[in-house]
Amino acid sequence: SSSRLATQTASIPCSEMEPQQARRRGRIVPATLTAVACLLAVAALTAPRRGDGAGALRGFAAVAGDNASEPEEEFSAEELAPEPPPEPRPPPRYRLQMGAGTEVYGEATVQAMGLVGEQAPRSWTFGWNRRWQKLFLKRWQPLASFRLSNAGMGAGLRWSRELMAEKSGNGADGTGLDLHTETEFVQEWPEDAPPGSSQQEEPDLPLPSLRQSVELVAGPRVQAKYLNMSLPFAVLLGAALGTEEGAAPNDGSLFKQVGPLEVYARLTTPGIREMRGVAWAVELADAWAGLVRASVQRPWAGRLRSLGGANPGGEGQWSLEHSRTHGAIPLPKSLAKGGAAISEAFGRLLDGVAPDSGDEPRAAVIPSTRLRADSDGGAAALSLQSSESAFGGSGWDGMVEANRKGWGARLRLTGGSARGTLGQPQYTVTGQAGWRESLKFLHQFKWGFRDGQGVWVTVRPSEKGPPRVSAGLEVR
């Protein structure tokens, strides 16, 4: 306190230390050294004690104000307060899938998604379906399905028939000319009131919806018979009538609403994929650790093998994979300037406008790693991507991967900007080879747009003769 400081200061008579002690030692102490000694003595008496840091700062500031003409320095509460702790990392996210299937009882699947640490998943779904091998009502094959989730429930009954005289032996599997008619029933649950709202009454249950559809599928066998060509996919044409207006799908199919009638067309994969055994898969995504995937598929064995029917399920498979995108690594300034010059040249050539180069160019590379162990032996991969291409600009990316059978590498160069009106040119070179074998290269030149449209030309090696050249076009 101020009274204690005054008592301690008065206990040292600085004026009496000058003439008598100096004459006794035979020398005169200069006045400036005496003043410094007095100041050091006062500072020693007012030294901070343990646990009294703030009071020591105030006492020293008071002494300095009495002995000097400089303004007093004050410390605010914000400067003395400790720094706030960093924000907590978001909890990991998980996704779980489990299923089992037999020929007699059908297939059942369960899916759940949520955050680690929460008691209940944020979304979940239970599904069941069964396809009868026996034909009913003159060559009609039924398929029943049921679905229950946190958003609602639904059920459906589908009847399928092969129209070609040459049967596939597996029913209406999409390889020939098939006709499907399906009746669907959907009931959605009412949505919960948002937090903080004044709604007190429980929301009403929405009305159920009913939908009737008819589809015609033309697969590779009917294409080869009538068109003298065969494509690796089937063409589906359908029409549906429902109690509610349907929304346009986002799977790339053609969709048209004509009053209450929906008309659509899309490409499908032929064949029937049925589960004959047990399977489960889990994904765990963390902001720091990356993504971890694990899956196991096993057919019925022992006494349960008869549940698989004619197709018991093949051999068991398992896999464990870890992938992670690491932090950006800055590149030398010389490489950054060269990349900025190339980006400006492409910008002027394609759009007539170059990116703003007022600031000093900076460039970085973003590495990603992937490790996989599975029943086939496993693999390891390293990917590098420039920071500009990660945000849709000019840049490059590459990957090197090795597995038990061999290794491969890929390098892709991208010009222009994804936001440009004329699209982005891309050149990709891919090399693959088995161990102790010569490397074979594949070249692709592509001009693509942000919405997925584009045109490309691919040059790939052939076993004998000149390389094979193929071209593709995608227009939406």
Side-chain angles (χ1 to χ4, degrees):
S1 62
S2 59
S3 60
R4 183 181 59 186
L5 180 62
T7 305
Q8 294 174 349
T9 307
S11 62
I12 302 179
C14 298
S15 59
E16 298 178 0
M17 294 177 57
E18 298 180 3
Q20 296 178 1
Q21 295 180 4
R23 284 193 298 269
R24 189 179 298 115
R25 296 179 182 178
R27 56 190 180 90
I28 300 175
V29 181
T32 56
L33 295 180
T34 304
V36 172
C38 294
L39 184 58
L40 292 177
V42 172
L45 292 175
T46 59
R49 294 177 296 176
R50 186 173 299 178
D52 193 19
L57 291 175
R58 290 192 297 267
F60 184 80
V63 174
D66 296 338
N67 294 275
S69 59
E70 297 180 359
E72 181 179 352
E73 183 181 1
E74 297 182 356
F75 293 86
S76 61
E78 290 79 5
E79 295 176 346
L80 297 177
E83 296 183 359
E87 296 183 0
R89 194 172 64 200
R93 295 177 288 107
Y94 70 88
R95 176 163 49 178
L96 177 64
Q97 298 179 351
M98 300 179 63
T102 68
E103 184 178 358
V104 179
Y105 302 105
E107 304 176 13
T109 58
V110 177
Q111 299 182 12
M113 298 177 59
L115 299 178
V116 176
E118 295 183 345
Q119 296 182 355
R122 296 196 170 185
S123 63
W124 56 269
T125 303
F126 168 79
W128 172 85
N129 66 82
R130 184 191 175 188
R131 186 173 71 100
W132 281 265
Q133 298 292 338
K134 183 180 179 181
L135 301 181
F136 297 87
L137 303 177
K138 297 182 179 180
R139 300 179 181 179
W140 286 94
Q141 189 176 28
L143 185 146
S145 61
F146 174 78
R147 179 181 57 86
L148 178 65
S149 68
N150 61 310
M153 62 173 294
L157 181 60
R158 179 177 180 178
W159 296 88
S160 304
R161 180 176 178 177
E162 289 186 279
L163 301 181
M164 289 187 64
E166 300 83 2
K167 307 301 180 182
S168 64
N170 197 25
D173 57 357
T175 60
L177 185 63
D178 304 331
L179 179 64
H180 306 287
T181 174
E182 184 175 6
T183 305
E184 293 180 284
F185 166 82
V186 177
Q187 173 64 69
E188 297 182 355
W189 309 132
E191 297 182 358
D192 297 335
S197 63
S198 58
Q199 183 178 356
Q200 301 294 336
E201 299 180 357
E202 296 184 0
D204 298 333
L205 185 67
L207 295 176
S209 60
L210 191 64
R211 186 173 184 268
Q212 179 66 44
S213 61
V214 178
E215 297 175 349
L216 182 65
V217 181
R221 290 194 298 117
V222 71
Q223 298 170 11
K225 182 177 181 180
Y226 295 102
L227 302 178
N228 198 20
M229 60 176 296
S230 178
L231 300 176
F233 49 82
V235 180
L236 185 148
L237 304 175
L241 184 64
T243 57
E244 293 185 0
E245 183 178 354
N250 55 359
D251 55 357
S253 60
L254 302 178
F255 179 84
K256 182 65 175 180
Q257 185 80 29
V258 183
L261 184 65
E262 305 172 12
V263 181
Y264 53 91
R266 63 173 179 266
L267 303 178
T268 62
T269 303
I272 298 177
R273 289 158 294 278
E274 295 179 323
M275 185 183 303
R276 293 296 181 261
V278 294
W280 63 266
V282 61
E283 293 184 3
L284 186 64
D286 184 75
W288 180 84
L291 178 63
V292 178
R293 294 190 181 100
S295 64
V296 174
Q297 298 181 9
R298 292 186 61 85
W300 297 112
R303 297 180 179 179
L304 300 178
R305 191 171 182 83
S306 59
L307 296 177
N311 181 18
E315 299 180 356
Q317 298 179 352
W318 64 272
S319 66
L320 177 62
E321 181 179 344
H322 172 264
S323 58
R324 184 176 185 268
T325 301
H326 304 267
I329 301 175
L331 296 178
K333 294 184 179 180
S334 58
L335 296 179
K337 292 181 180 179
I342 296 176
S343 178
E344 292 178 4
F346 270 106
R348 292 191 184 97
L349 179 63
L350 298 177
D351 297 331
V353 179
D356 186 12
S357 59
D359 299 334
E360 184 178 359
R362 298 179 180 180
V365 61
I366 304 175
S368 301
T369 56
R370 183 171 62 88
L371 300 175
R372 179 183 176 88
D374 54 25
S375 53
D376 294 333
L382 171 64
S383 303
L384 298 176
Q385 184 180 20
S386 62
S387 56
E388 292 82 3
S389 62
F391 294 97
S394 301
W396 58 272
D397 64 272
M399 183 187 68
V400 178
E401 183 176 2
N403 54 32
R404 187 181 63 177
K405 298 180 180 180
W407 68 283
R410 186 196 68 219
L411 176 63
R412 178 168 54 194
L413 305 177
T414 305
S417 174
R419 297 182 294 271
T421 57
L422 298 180
Q424 285 184 289
Q426 293 181 358
Y427 166 69
T428 305
V429 54
T430 305
Q432 294 181 353
W435 298 115
R436 298 182 181 180
E437 295 181 1
S438 59
L439 197 63
K440 298 181 180 180
F441 292 96
L442 182 146
H443 305 268
Q444 184 183 70
F445 304 88
K446 181 179 180 180
W447 199 290
F449 296 86
R450 190 175 184 179
D451 56 356
Q453 302 184 82
V455 58
W456 59 89
V457 177
T458 304
V459 181
R460 56 173 49 89
S462 60
E463 296 295 336
K464 297 180 180 180
R468 298 174 54 189
V469 180
S470 59
L473 174 66
E474 182 175 355
V475 179
R476 299 180 181 177

